[in-house]
Amino acid sequence: PVSPGRILAATAEAFGLSISDLEGPRRHQPLARAHQIAMYIVREMTDLSLPKIGGIFGGRDHTTVLHGINTVSRLMKEDQMLFDRVTALMQGLRRTS
C-alpha cells in the first residue's frame, strides 16, 4: 500500500499546495476540494479507517471524511476532468510504489 504521506505529497504537488495546507484546518476553495481528493485517495489506496484518515487531515471528524470521499466519488461520475485528474494521481502513486 501507498503511505498517506506520499499521497499527501502527491496531492499537494498536483494542486500547487503545501502538505501543511492539506493537513490544516482551512476550508476555502480550492483547498477544500484538494482535501477531499486526498481523503478519497487515502481511502482507496490504504486500509486506514475514517477516524485515522480524519486524524491525518487536522483531526477532522470521520463524518467529514466520509462526506469528502462521497463528494469526490459523486463528482468523478459527473466531471470527466476531475475523474482524469484523480485517476492520474492514483496511477502515478501506484507506479512509484
Side-chain angles (χ1 to χ4, degrees), residues 30-70:
L31 186 56
R33 186 70 66 226
H35 279 137
Q36 291 174 333
I37 290 170
M39 289 178 198
Y40 175 86
I41 294 172
V42 169
R43 183 66 171 174
E44 290 293 312
M45 298 187 78
T46 71
D47 59 356
L48 293 179
S49 66
L50 295 175
K52 286 186 179 181
I53 294 171
I56 293 169
F57 292 91
R60 285 177 169 75
D61 187 76
H62 74 280
T63 58
T64 302
V65 175
L66 185 59
H67 172 74
I69 291 167
N70 289 339

Side-chain angles (χ1 to χ4, degrees), residues 1-83:
V2 179
S3 75
R6 287 198 40 240
I7 294 169
L8 284 172
T11 306
E13 182 180 339
F15 284 88
L17 304 168
S18 70
I19 293 174
S20 62
D21 285 336
L22 289 179
E23 293 172 330
R26 294 179 19 210
R27 294 184 176 151
H28 65 82
Q29 288 289 4
L31 186 56
R33 186 70 66 226
H35 279 137
Q36 291 174 333
I37 290 170
M39 289 178 198
Y40 175 86
I41 294 172
V42 169
R43 183 66 171 174
E44 290 293 312
M45 298 187 78
T46 71
D47 59 356
L48 293 179
S49 66
L50 295 175
K52 286 186 179 181
I53 294 171
I56 293 169
F57 292 91
R60 285 177 169 75
D61 187 76
H62 74 280
T63 58
T64 302
V65 175
L66 185 59
H67 172 74
I69 291 167
N70 289 339
T71 297
V72 172
S73 182
R74 178 180 48 82
L75 290 174
M76 284 175 63
K77 293 173 185 165
E78 300 168 3
D79 183 345
Q80 186 65 43
M81 286 179 53
L82 179 66
F83 177 85

